[in-house]
C-alpha cells in the first residue's frame, strides 16, 4: 500500500518549460586555449578498465525513495539531524531515476530504464563521481559531463563572436538539472515531517485548494486579518542563512557542500541590450518583427516537446499573485522552493508559538471555551460561528502559501498592530532583512480580504426580524451568528480576461473574438474551450459564488468563439452563429458549397471529420455548486497518513495491542471474516450459514 502512494509523487511529471542549450565539446575544442581547462572527469568513464554501469543497477529506485520517506517519518525529535545521506547519493539507481525525471522535463516523455544508452549511463556515472568528489562545476557550459537528449551533436564550426554570445546566453546545463533532481529526491522526505502544517506551497499533497478549505473551516469568528507579503525578504536570503537552516536537519557534509557550492557559485547574467534606449521607430520595427515571428508556423525538432496547448496557457495566465512567486537561489533550480520552505519554516514555528500564547478562553463565549481544538464544527456549514456573549475568546490562526501569510485574529485591532510590529522585528533579527510596513495590511472582516483571488468576508444571520405595519421597515433585528463567506473575485477575473484580450471594458465587459484559435477547426476549438472551462470550474470549486463566476467565464468564452466563427464563416453577428450552431455551438458551421458534397453526418460516419462537442455550461443549471465539504480536523495529506499508519503497523507491540482491542470489543479481524466467507461458501453454497438455517426453518 505504501509504494503506490509514493509512486505517484516520485513519478510526477514536471511541466514543460524552455529548452536547455548545451555547447558541444567538439565545437569548444578549437577555443580550448581561451577557456578554462575541461574537467578530466568526463573522460574517466571512457577509459579502459572502467566498471560496467549495469553492474551498479541492483535496486528499485522507488523502493529506495520509500525507505528514505519511512526513515525520516519514523525518526523522533531526539535525533535532530541526518548524519549520513551520502549512502543514498552513492546509489546509482537514484541517479537513473533523477535522469529519467530530467528527461521528462526536457522531452516531455519518461524514458524507461532499458532504453537508456550505455554511453549515457557512463556519463551519468561520471557525473555522480564528480558530485561525490565535491568538484562539480555548477553552471559551467564548457565542462559538460552529461549531455541533454535534446542537444544534437554539432559538427559545424562557429565564429568567435557567436561562440562567446552562446556562452553568455546559454541556459543552465542539463547535468545541473539531474543533480538538482537527485538532491530533491533525498532532501524532500527529510524535511517534510519537520515542516509546519500551516504551510501549503511547494509541498506534496497541498495546494491552494487546501488553503481555501482551511480558511473556510478554521478562520470563522475572526474579526481582524493580517496579510503580509514576504517576497522581498525571501528573495534576498543569503547563502549563509540557507546553509545554516539546512544544517539543522542535515549533518552530511557532502550534501551540505553540494548545496553550498550551488548557492555561492555566481550565476551568469546574459548581457543583452537592457540599457539601450530605443526610439519609437525601432520599437515599432521590433514589434512588427515579433508579430511576424509569432504568426510564422514553427516546425518542431525530432526530440523537441510540444508546447502547452492554448487552454493550458490561458489557465496559467489566471494564476493568482500569491501563486506566481517561485524562488530562485543560485544554481539550485528546482531545489529553490524547498530551500525557501526550509528558511520560512522558522517563521511558521514562531507563529505557532504566538498562537498558543495568545489563546485566552472565555466561559461566557459559546465557542473555544477550554481548548483551541474544541468549538463549532458543523459539517453542513463548517464556518458557522455564534457571536453572542458579553465577552469573546481571544484566538489567532495562521496560514502561509509561499511568501504570503494570512493571520486571523479574534480580538482588538491593537493586537494586530502589535503582531505586525513583532513580525517586522522577527524578520530583521532572524533573516537580517527589514520588512516594510506597506507589505503588511490589516483589514477588518467587513471590508473583505483578498487571498488567492478569493475574497474572505462574513454574513450575519438574522433569525428574527420585526417589521412595521406599513412600509416594511425593520424595527428590531437580532444577529444570531456569522457565516464566513469565501467568494471568487469577479473583478480579478475580468482583469485576467482583459490581459488575454478576450474582453474590453471594466464594469460591462464586452467579449472580443478569440484570435489565437483563428486557424483551428470548430471541433478543435470547442474541445480546447471545454478543457479550459472544466479547469476553471475545478479551480473555483470551493467558492460560494461558483455558479456565478463559472457562468461569467462560460459567457465570455462562448461569446468570444461565436464572434470568431462569425468572422470566419462570414455570418456578421453572434445571433446568426447561434441560430445555425445552437446555443452550445455543437452543430457544424460550413461555408456554402456544392449540393453534390456529402452531408456532415455522412462525413462523420465515414470518419472524415471530428465530432463537435458543445461548449459546456451553456445554462446555469449545468454548472456544479460549491463544495462545502469541511476539511477534517488535524488533516494530513494521503501519503503522509499512509506513511504514519505503515510505521505504526511495523511495530509488533502496536500490532498486538490492536489485535487485543479488536478481540476485546468482540469484533472480527479481516482474516477471520474472509475465512468464514470461504467456509460458508464451501458448505452452504452461495448462501451464508445464517441464511441457510433460516431457509431450513421456513421450509
Amino acid at each position: 500500500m505504501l509504494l503506490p502512494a509514493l509512486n505517484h509523487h516520485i513519478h510526477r511529471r514536471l511541466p514543460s518549460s524552455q529548452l536547455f542549450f548545451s555547447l558541444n565539446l567538439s565545437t569548444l575544442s578549437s577555443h580550448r586555449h581561451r577557456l578554462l581547462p575541461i574537467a578530466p572527469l568526463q573522460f574517466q568513464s571512457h577509459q579502459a578498465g572502467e566498471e560496467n554501469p549495469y553492474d551498479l543497477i541492483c535496486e528499485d529506485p522507488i523502493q529506495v525513495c520509500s525507505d528514505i520517506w519511512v526513515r525520516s517519518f519514523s525518526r523522533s525529535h531526539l535525533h535532530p539531524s541526518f548524519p549520513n545521506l551520502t549512502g543514498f547519493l552513492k546509489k546509482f539507481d537514484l541517479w537513473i531515476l533523477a535522469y529519467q525525471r530530467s528527461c521528462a522535463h526536457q522531452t516531455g516523455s519518461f524514458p524507461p530504464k532499458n532504453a537508456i544508452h550505455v554511453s549515457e549511463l557512463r556519463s551519468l556515472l561520471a557525473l555522480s563521481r564528480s558530485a561525490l568528489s565535491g568538484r562539480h562545476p555548477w553552471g559551467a557550459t564548457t565542462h559538460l559531463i552529461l549531455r541533454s537528449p535534446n542537444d544534437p551533436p554539432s559538427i559545424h564550426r562557429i565564429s568567435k563572436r557567436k561562440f562567446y554570445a552562446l556562452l553568455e546566453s546559454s541556459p543552465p546545463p542539463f547535468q545541473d538539472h539531474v543533480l538538482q533532481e537527485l538532491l530533491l529526491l533525498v532532501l524532500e522526505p527529510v524535511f517534510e515531517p519537520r515542516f509546519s502544517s500551516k504551510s501549503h506551497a511547494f509541498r506534496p499533497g497541498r495546494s491552494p485548494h487546501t488553503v481555501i478549505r482551511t480558511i473556510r473551516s478554521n478562520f470563522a469568528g475572526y474579526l481582524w486579518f493580517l496579510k503580509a507579503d514576504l517576497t522581498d525578504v525571501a528573495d534576498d536570503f543569503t547563502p549563509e542563512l540557507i546553509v545554516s537552516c539546512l544544517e539543522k536537519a542535515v549533518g552530511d557534509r557532502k550534501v551540505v557542500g553540494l548545496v553550498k557550492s550551488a548557492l555561492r557559485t555566481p550565476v551568469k547574467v546574459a548581457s543583452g541590450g537592457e540599457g539601450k534606449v530605443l526610439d519609437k521607430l525601432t520599437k515599432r520595427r521590433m514589434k512588427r518583427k515579433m508579430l511576424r515571428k509569432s504568426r510564422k508556423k514553427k516546425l518542431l525538432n525530432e526530440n523537441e516537446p510540444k508546447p502547452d496547448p492554448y487552454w493550458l496557457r490561458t489557465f496559467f495566465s489566471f494564476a493568482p499573485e500569491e501563486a506566481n512567486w517561485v524562488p530562485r537561489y543560485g544554481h539550485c533550480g528546482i531545489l529553490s522552493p524547498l530551500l525557501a520552505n526550509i528558511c520560512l519554516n522558522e517563521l511558521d514555528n514562531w507563529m505557532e508559538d504566538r498562537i498558543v500564547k495568545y489563546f485566552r478562553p472565555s466561559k461566557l463565549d459559546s465557542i473555544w471555551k477550554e481548548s483551541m481544538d474544541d468549538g463549532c464544527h458543523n459539517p453542513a456549514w463548517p464556518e458557522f460561528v455564534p457571536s453572542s456573549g458579553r465577552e469573546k475568546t481571544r484566538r489567532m490562526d495562521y496560514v502561509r502559501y509561499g511568501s504570503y501569510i494570512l493571520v486571523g485574529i479574534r480580538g482588538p485591532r491593537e493586537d494586530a498592530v502589535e503582531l505586525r510590529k513583532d513580525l517586522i522585528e522577527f524578520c530583521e533579527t532572524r533573516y537580517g532583512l527589514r520588512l516594510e510596513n506597506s507589505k503588511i495590511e490589516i483589514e477588518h472582516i467587513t471590508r473583505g480580504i483578498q487571498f488567492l483571488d478569493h475574497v474572505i468576508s462574513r454574513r450575519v444571520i438574522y433569525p428574527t426580524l420585526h417589521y412595521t405595519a406599513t412600509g416594511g421597515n425593520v424595527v428590531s433585528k437580532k444577529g444570531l451568528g456569522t457565516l464566513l463567506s469565501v467568494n471568487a473575485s469577479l473583478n480579478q477575473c475580468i482583469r485576467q480576461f482583459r490581459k488575454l484580450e478576450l474582453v474590453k471594458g471594466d464594469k460591462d465587459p464586452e467579449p472580443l473574438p478569440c484570435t489565437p484559435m483563428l486557424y483551428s477547426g470548430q471541433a478543435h476549438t470547442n474541445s480546447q474551450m471545454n478543457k479550459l472551462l472544466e479547469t476553471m470550474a475545478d479551480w473555483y470549486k470551493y467558492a460560494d459564488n461558483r455558479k456565478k463566476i463559472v457562468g461569467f467565464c462560460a459567457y465570455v468564452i462562448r461569446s468570444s468563439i461565436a464572434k470568431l466563427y462569425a468572422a470566419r464563416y462570414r455570418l456578421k453577428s453572434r445571433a446568426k452563429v447561434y441560430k445555425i450552431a445552437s446555443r452550445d455551438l455543437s452543430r457544424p458551421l460550413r461555408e456554402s458549397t456544392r449540393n453534390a458534397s456529402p452531408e456532415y453526418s455522412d462525413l462523420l460516419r465515414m470518419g472524415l471529420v471530428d465530432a463537435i462537442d458543445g461548449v459546456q455550461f451553456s445554462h446555469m443549471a449545468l454548472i456544479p455548486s460549491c463544495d462545502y465539504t469541511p476539511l477534517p480536523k488535524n488533516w494530513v495529506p494521503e501519503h503522509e497518513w499512509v506513511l504514519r499508519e505503515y510505521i505504526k503497523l511495523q511495530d509488533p507491540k502496536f500490532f498486538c495491542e490492536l489485535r487485543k482491542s479488536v478481540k476485546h470489543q468482540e469484533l472480527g479481524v479481516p482474516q477471520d471474516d474472509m475465512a468464514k466467507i470461504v467456509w460458508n461458501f464451501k458448505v452452504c453454497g452461495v448462501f451464508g450459514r445464517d441464511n441457510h438455517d433460516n431457509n431450513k426453518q421456513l421450509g
Side-chain angles (χ1 to χ4, degrees):
M1 183 180 180
L2 178 64
L3 283 178
L6 293 178
N7 194 5
H8 173 70
H9 167 60
I10 296 171
H11 274 95
R12 66 184 187 273
R13 181 175 175 179
L14 299 174
S16 60
S17 62
Q18 60 179 358
L19 299 176
F20 289 170
F21 177 84
S22 301
L23 293 177
N24 194 294
L25 294 177
S26 60
T27 308
L28 301 177
S29 59
S30 60
H31 304 274
R32 190 180 303 175
H33 63 282
R34 298 181 180 271
L35 301 173
L36 296 175
I38 299 178
L41 289 172
Q42 55 189 332
F43 300 107
Q44 290 181 2
S45 60
H46 302 284
Q47 293 177 358
E50 187 71 23
E51 58 181 331
N52 189 4
Y54 290 105
D55 297 337
L56 302 177
I57 305 176
C58 54
E59 296 183 70
D60 183 13
I62 306 299
Q63 184 63 44
V64 176
C65 293
S66 302
D67 294 341
I68 304 176
W69 282 88
V70 172
R71 178 183 173 186
S72 60
F73 272 83
S74 60
R75 292 173 67 92
S76 62
H77 296 286
L78 300 177
H79 302 83
S81 62
F82 278 79
N84 183 19
L85 288 176
T86 310
F88 294 103
L89 294 183
K90 292 181 180 179
K91 295 182 180 295
F92 192 61
D93 303 274
L94 280 183
W95 284 91
I96 294 178
L97 179 59
Y99 176 79
Q100 291 173 317
R101 287 166 56 112
S102 302
C103 289
H105 180 82
Q106 294 284 316
T107 62
S109 61
F110 194 87
K113 186 185 298 185
N114 54 6
I116 304 176
H117 198 266
V118 62
S119 61
E120 297 173 349
L121 292 177
R122 289 173 179 171
S123 301
L124 192 62
L125 183 60
L127 178 63
S128 65
R129 292 177 177 175
S130 173
L132 292 174
S133 64
R135 301 194 306 264
H136 176 70
W138 289 96
T141 315
T142 57
H143 295 66
L144 293 179
I145 304 175
L146 180 66
R147 299 179 58 83
S148 171
N150 283 338
D151 187 14
S154 177
I155 58 176
H156 301 286
R157 294 183 179 272
I158 59 176
S159 62
K160 181 179 178 181
R161 179 181 60 83
K162 290 184 178 181
F163 173 73
Y164 283 107
L166 289 175
L167 285 181
E168 293 179 357
S169 61
S170 59
F174 177 74
Q175 59 191 16
D176 288 1
H177 197 85
V178 175
L179 187 53
Q180 294 162 9
E181 285 281 0
L182 180 71
L183 292 175
L184 184 63
L185 289 174
V186 175
L187 292 178
E188 188 178 40
V190 173
F191 286 95
E192 268 299 313
R194 298 173 176 268
F195 285 156
S196 171
S197 60
K198 306 293 184 181
S199 65
H200 295 261
F202 311 120
R203 298 183 61 187
R206 292 174 170 85
S207 64
H209 277 171
T210 60
V211 178
I212 297 171
R213 296 184 69 187
T214 302
I215 292 173
R216 180 183 291 281
S217 300
N218 303 335
F219 276 65
Y222 296 123
L223 302 177
W224 296 97
F225 283 80
L226 185 144
K227 179 183 175 182
D229 180 10
L230 308 178
T231 304
D232 296 339
V233 176
D235 284 337
D236 295 336
F237 284 157
T238 60
E240 292 76 14
L241 174 65
I242 297 176
V243 171
S244 63
C245 295
L246 182 67
E247 289 178 342
K248 292 182 180 180
V250 178
D252 193 286
R253 293 184 178 181
K254 289 188 177 181
V255 175
V256 176
L258 281 172
V259 178
K260 187 185 298 184
S261 61
L263 292 170
R264 294 184 176 179
T265 304
V267 180
K268 295 180 180 180
V269 180
S271 59
E274 295 89 354
K276 297 181 180 179
V277 180
L278 303 178
D279 55 352
K280 294 183 179 180
L281 182 60
T282 308
K283 289 182 179 179
R284 290 178 183 176
R285 290 176 178 174
M286 291 181 62
K287 187 176 181 180
R288 293 173 185 172
K289 183 178 179 181
M290 296 300 295
L291 188 60
R292 288 194 301 268
K293 187 177 180 181
S294 62
R295 291 177 178 176
K296 186 178 180 181
K297 188 176 181 180
K298 182 182 179 182
L299 297 178
L300 300 178
N301 297 328
E302 182 179 358
N303 295 325
E304 185 178 357
K306 294 181 179 179
D308 294 333
Y310 174 74
W311 71 270
L312 189 58
R313 299 195 305 269
T314 306
F315 177 72
F316 283 160
S317 64
F318 278 86
E321 180 186 4
E322 293 82 2
N324 277 330
W325 177 75
V326 179
R328 299 183 183 277
Y329 303 127
H331 296 276
C332 292
I334 59 175
L335 195 65
S336 299
L338 177 64
L339 299 178
N341 274 337
I342 292 173
C343 297
L344 293 174
N345 188 52
E346 298 191 2
L347 174 63
D348 300 338
N349 298 332
W350 178 76
M351 281 298 306
E352 288 182 349
D353 295 339
R354 291 294 300 263
I355 291 172
V356 175
K357 294 178 182 179
Y358 185 77
F359 179 66
R360 301 175 190 175
S362 175
K363 295 183 178 180
L364 300 177
D365 202 349
S366 56
I367 59 172
W368 303 315
K369 294 181 179 180
E370 297 178 359
S371 64
M372 298 179 61
D373 295 332
D374 62 357
C376 181
H377 199 78
N378 192 344
W381 291 96
E383 65 276 51
F384 180 77
V385 175
S387 60
S388 61
R390 291 175 294 175
E391 185 179 354
K392 295 180 180 179
T393 300
R394 293 194 177 185
R395 194 174 184 271
M396 183 190 304
D397 208 341
Y398 159 82
V399 68
R400 178 176 66 86
Y401 189 84
S403 61
Y404 292 84
I405 66 174
L406 182 68
V407 184
I409 301 174
R410 185 179 174 91
R413 188 180 186 277
E414 290 75 13
D415 296 344
V417 175
E418 183 181 357
L419 178 63
R420 177 172 64 180
K421 179 182 177 182
D422 296 341
L423 180 62
I424 294 175
E425 292 179 357
F426 174 82
C427 292
E428 188 174 5
T429 304
R430 182 64 189 94
Y431 301 131
L433 300 168
R434 183 171 181 82
L435 189 63
E436 299 180 1
N437 288 333
S438 60
K439 297 295 184 179
I440 306 177
E441 302 176 359
I442 299 177
E443 295 289 347
H444 196 264
I445 185 63
T446 55
R447 299 191 60 180
I449 298 91
Q450 184 168 336
F451 196 75
L452 288 172
D453 284 355
H454 286 68
V455 180
I456 307 167
S457 57
R458 74 172 182 178
R459 290 175 287 175
V460 182
I461 305 301
Y462 299 104
T464 55
L465 298 176
H466 298 280
Y467 297 92
T468 58
T470 59
N473 297 324
V474 178
V475 178
S476 62
K477 56 184 180 179
K478 181 180 180 181
L480 176 65
T482 59
L483 200 64
L484 189 68
S485 178
V486 182
N487 293 320
S489 177
L490 183 60
N491 295 330
Q492 182 67 18
C493 186
I494 294 175
R495 282 194 290 268
Q496 298 295 342
F497 273 122
R498 275 207 315 270
K499 291 181 180 179
L500 296 171
E501 297 182 355
L502 292 179
V503 298
K504 64 177 180 179
D506 296 330
K507 296 183 179 179
D508 189 13
E510 177 66 20
L512 297 175
C514 183
T515 53
M517 304 296 293
L518 180 61
Y519 299 104
S520 299
Q522 185 180 356
H524 179 69
T525 303
N526 286 9
S527 64
Q528 289 285 309
M529 295 309 173
N530 279 334
K531 292 178 182 178
L532 175 61
L533 285 175
E534 289 175 1
T535 314
M536 296 291 292
D538 185 70
W539 164 241
Y540 295 118
K541 183 178 181 180
Y542 300 100
D544 290 346
N545 60 341
R546 184 186 186 185
K547 282 182 172 291
K548 179 181 178 181
I549 195 74
V550 177
F552 172 76
C553 296
Y555 160 74
V556 170
I557 292 174
R558 189 172 60 253
S559 302
S560 178
I561 60 178
K563 285 190 174 183
L564 175 67
Y565 293 157
R568 182 190 299 171
Y569 300 109
R570 301 176 183 178
L571 297 176
K572 296 183 180 180
S573 65
R574 284 182 287 175
K576 292 185 178 180
V577 174
Y578 290 140
K579 184 178 180 180
I580 299 175
S582 73
R583 182 180 177 85
D584 59 354
L585 304 174
S586 59
R587 297 177 183 173
L589 290 166
R590 292 291 183 270
E591 296 180 354
S592 58
T593 56
R594 296 179 181 178
N595 295 330
S597 62
E599 297 291 338
Y600 173 77
S601 58
D602 298 335
L603 296 175
L604 182 62
R605 185 170 55 254
M606 290 185 293
L608 299 179
V609 294
D610 297 330
I612 301 176
D613 297 328
V615 180
Q616 293 187 0
F617 310 137
S618 57
H619 300 278
M620 291 291 290
L622 301 176
I623 303 175
S625 302
C626 174
D627 187 359
Y628 291 105
T629 306
L631 196 66
K633 290 185 178 180
N634 302 323
W635 172 86
V636 293
E638 183 181 1
H639 72 279
E640 186 174 339
W641 179 82
V642 171
L643 276 169
R644 297 191 184 280
E645 292 296 324
Y646 176 79
I647 293 171
K648 287 181 181 179
L649 293 177
Q650 292 296 106
D651 187 6
K653 184 178 179 181
F654 174 80
F655 188 80
C656 293
E657 292 178 355
L658 182 63
R659 185 178 179 87
K660 289 180 181 179
S661 63
V662 170
K663 290 292 186 181
H664 180 70
Q665 297 176 4
E666 298 181 356
L667 299 175
V669 296
Q671 292 83 353
D672 297 342
D673 294 338
M674 291 298 299
K676 291 179 181 178
I677 292 174
V678 173
W679 175 259
N680 292 339
F681 181 80
K682 288 184 176 180
V683 175
C684 308
V686 295
F687 295 96
R689 175 174 295 180
D690 298 335
N691 296 335
H692 186 67
D693 297 339
N694 294 335
N695 292 336
K696 280 186 176 181
Q697 295 177 3
L698 293 175

